[in-house]
Amino acid sequence: MTEEIIIAGFGGQGVLSMGKILAYSGVMQNKEVSWMPSYGPEMRGGTANVTVIISDERISSPILHEYDTAIILNQQSLDKFEHSVKTGGLLIYDPNGITRLPERTDINIYSIEAAEMAGKLGLSRVFNMIVLGGFLKLKPIVDMEYIHKGLEKSLPARHHVMIPENEKAIETGKTLITPVLVLS
Amino acid sequence: MAEFKTNPEILQPENLVYKRTNLLTEKALSYCPGCGHGTAHRIIMEVIEEMGIQSETIGVAPVGCSVLAYEFMNIDIQQAAHGRAPAVATAIKRLFPEKFVFTYQGDGDLAAIGTAETIHACNRGENMTIFFINNGIYGMTGGQMAPTTLPGMKSSTSPYGRDIQTMGNPLKMTELVATLPGTIYVTRQAVHTPSAVRKAKRAVRKAFENQKLNKGLSFVEIVSNCNSGWKMNPLQSNEWMVENMFPFYPIGDIKVNEEK
Amino acid sequence: MKELRLMKGNEAFAEAVIRAGADGYFGYPITPQSEVMEYLMAQKTHERTGMVTLQAESEIAAINMVYGGAGCGKRVLTSSSSPGMSLKQEGISYIAGAELPCLLLNVVRGGPGLGTIQPSQSDYFQSTKGGGHGDYRLIVLAPSSVQEMADFAGLGFELAFKYRNPVLVLSDGAIGQMMEKVELDVQQPRFTDEEIRKNTPWATIGKTPDRDHNIITSLDLESIKMEQHNQKLQEKYRLIEENEVRYEKIGCEDAEYAFVAYGTSARICQKAIELARAEGIKVGLMRPITLFPFPKKILNDMTSRVKGILCVEMSAGQMIEDVKLAVEGRIKVEHFGRYGGIVHSPSEIVEALKKQIIGG
Ligand SMILES: Cc1ncc(C[n+]2csc(CCOP(=O)(O)OP(=O)(O)O)c2C)c(N)n1
Ligand code: SF4
Ligand SMILES: [Mg+2]
């Protein structure tokens, strides 16, 4: 198994930390992982993205130009990465972040109303965990027990009280993910 | 060459009035006769000897005429790149806080190319000593203008005299570092007469003793001559220094162990 | 017991230097390597191991602090990125001339000038051919993973003290910024004053009556002595070339063609190999781990089996000069570069292989 993922959105949406939790969970499940962020002024106020690879084998390149999965949280990122999804791959988006729907017809497309749900729950900080839940529902590449360990490892100790809340958000995300286009 | 024979009478211990400190090596000084560098070396080494801290002292030599200070000073010593001695000394002192650490630098080294290192070491309050030999000129490279060259003073790169309109003003580095909270003791001395030497030596001692207090950097300027660069004989150069350098660079303490 | 963590390359390096028993870090912020000092400061190294971490006023001051610390026999280091490394070159030349051991890290970004903050490999010449003035060499280690960022901290200090020579870890923005799994060594003790006295008797730590005064300098006004000093340096570099060549070969057993690449581009070449082999092209990778000493002989030996070499560098073609020298014209060697902060895509590497080597 090798899963090559791009997560992209605005800085502040928790893009990098979602990637880090996923990657750390992979580490805990004894998988090979890499986490390659965009960095520098590119990130200031603008878009942030991170490439996460989780694999059973040694990872060759941490920098990719096409992906199995793209998790898209704003319009700029959709414009930038829609065409980098491999044929037959997966694109997940939050409709609240975009103004134009994806156009590809050769990939699987799902939407997730994560921002809306986070707003409803009054927990904007778990927005990214809702999205992660949606992804894990479709591609359960790491088990929930390791996600728990990943959360423990990637959150500073003083935030450990928030782990149950994060796990709940992941479960919520699993129920929210909605097919838009599913290839047969 | 004529052979000189010393009269054995004179070598009797009871006739001894002055002796080279053991902390100067037996190498002949490479300085021009009459140059203040040699005296400055001597008093620093005498103080280290008198304090009995040879085994705890690490020096840093500059680039300039005194680049070879490491040949003459019989202590463990590093030779730094031009202007960087305060940075080199900073690391030594940080890594060996209990040792006595000093730099010995000329005015080109300290006040031109090494301005940043000087000011920042002073401002951080590194608990070490900087000896600053200000002769108003680049001695080593053949008498070019230094940041400390006086207005109107001639040098090989200001052959018609320093024109402050186009060449800028002389930099009073010592007054400048005295304004920084990191310096504990800032003084300006000279070594052209025996009484000046005695005073300068007391300043050197105080600067070393300050290192035990852990309260900041001690900065000792020694206004000195460069008879070769100034194109004078040693006597003339000392007179010229008294008449011209001292009014601009007045001798005396500028900041003394202020309570912080 | 080794400890497993997920870390950025820069952080892994910083953690590894603490564990390697470093005594002092001196640096100046510059993207994409500022995490090194940030991490050390956050770790309160002085409380943790007694290690000094100091933010200097410039890269020039930082490298001269390294000179001072290294002259005292301590394990000291600095890190920077390309523009800062240019400023350090004077100090590095002095360190090499005075034969002081120290560790340097360059997390390379694109140049020339202020360039870009994105990853690049355009400092190869500067790193491997001297960089500053005079005839000197650094030992240059090129990590291609976060694990190697950590491993080369300890290895770097070891080689630096073994040869009394500065060791440069030549990384790039991608490896510095990315996170991977890393196994960390256990904490090594810092040198005691006794060990310094014994293992580095040349160090300036205070003249005692039982020995002459120690002098750290790179100066000798007598040319004949300076020539002898240079000869001694050259002998040392030859010894390093004999003993310290490190490289990795991937998929070379049956290869008809080879990529030669280091660092990040070596990682991308591994993906390119997967793609090419899926198309039936037998290509492998020779990854130099030491850029000085360069694995010349290994490359020369490869010419009896492979038909052509594609040098893949994030530069306009620098390492290729060493590859060509090693190959001695026996087989075709071509360069494929992206630069200015652009990283190759694996598929364009495969295309370049087809066009420049197989078809050409
Ligand atoms: C980087 C660099 N630039 C220039 C020089 C040449 N240089 C050697 S000594 C010196 C000036 C020294 O003047 P000062 O510090 O006043 O010392 P003095 O000889 O007067 O005692 C210069 C410019 C050098 N060695 N290194
Ligand atoms: S050139 Fe000037 S500073 Fe240098 S040794 Fe001669 S008199 Fe002294
Ligand atoms: Mg001078």
Side-chain angles (χ1 to χ4, degrees), chain B residues 27-63:
Chain B
K27 294 223 169 74
L29 293 178
S30 52
Y31 304 111
C32 309
C35 171
H37 271 306
T39 317
H41 281 28
R42 170 169 70 79
I43 59 175
I44 295 169
M45 290 302 111
E46 282 176 354
V47 166
I48 294 172
E49 184 173 42
E50 285 158 19
M51 288 176 70
I53 55 170
Q54 181 190 29
S55 64
E56 298 155 64
T57 302
I58 302 162
V60 182
V63 175

Side-chain angles (χ1 to χ4, degrees), chain C residues 268-332:
Chain C
I268 302 180
C269 282
Q270 288 170 47
K271 187 89 188 173
I273 292 173
E274 291 168 15
L275 301 181
R277 287 196 173 251
E279 291 182 36
I281 302 170
K282 290 182 179 164
V283 58
L285 167 71
M286 202 292 279
R287 173 173 81 93
I289 293 173
T290 48
L291 300 179
F292 181 86
F294 193 72
K296 297 182 217 172
K297 187 168 176 310
I298 292 27
L299 265 172
N300 195 290
D301 292 348
M302 282 173 73
T303 58
S304 58
R305 269 159 291 137
V306 302
K307 296 183 210 156
I309 285 176
L310 187 68
C311 264
V312 182
E313 297 177 71
M314 282 138 60
S315 79
Q318 300 192 12
M319 180 182 65
I320 186 170
E321 295 191 1
D322 286 333
V323 174
K324 280 188 168 165
L325 280 172
V327 162
E328 294 177 319
R330 299 219 172 99
I331 55 171
K332 183 166 187 178

Side-chain angles (χ1 to χ4, degrees), chain B residues 55 73 76 79 99 124, chain C residues 57 67 205-206 211 214 216:
Chain B
S55 64
M73 296 182 174
D76 276 6
Q79 188 264 309
K99 306 258 178 201
R124 283 192 302 263
Chain C
E57 61 271 29
Y67 179 98
I205 60 169
R211 63 160 170 82
N214 282 338
I216 301 295

Side-chain angles (χ1 to χ4, degrees), chain B residues 106-108 133-139 146:
Chain B
D107 41 85
I133 312 302
N134 177 10
N135 54 16
I137 205 155
Y138 286 9

Side-chain angles (χ1 to χ4, degrees), chain C residues 16-36:
Chain C
V17 297
I18 300 174
R19 291 178 183 230
D23 297 297
Y25 170 91
F26 308 93
Y28 188 82
I30 183 170
T31 309
Q33 64 78 52
S34 297
E35 292 83 1
V36 175

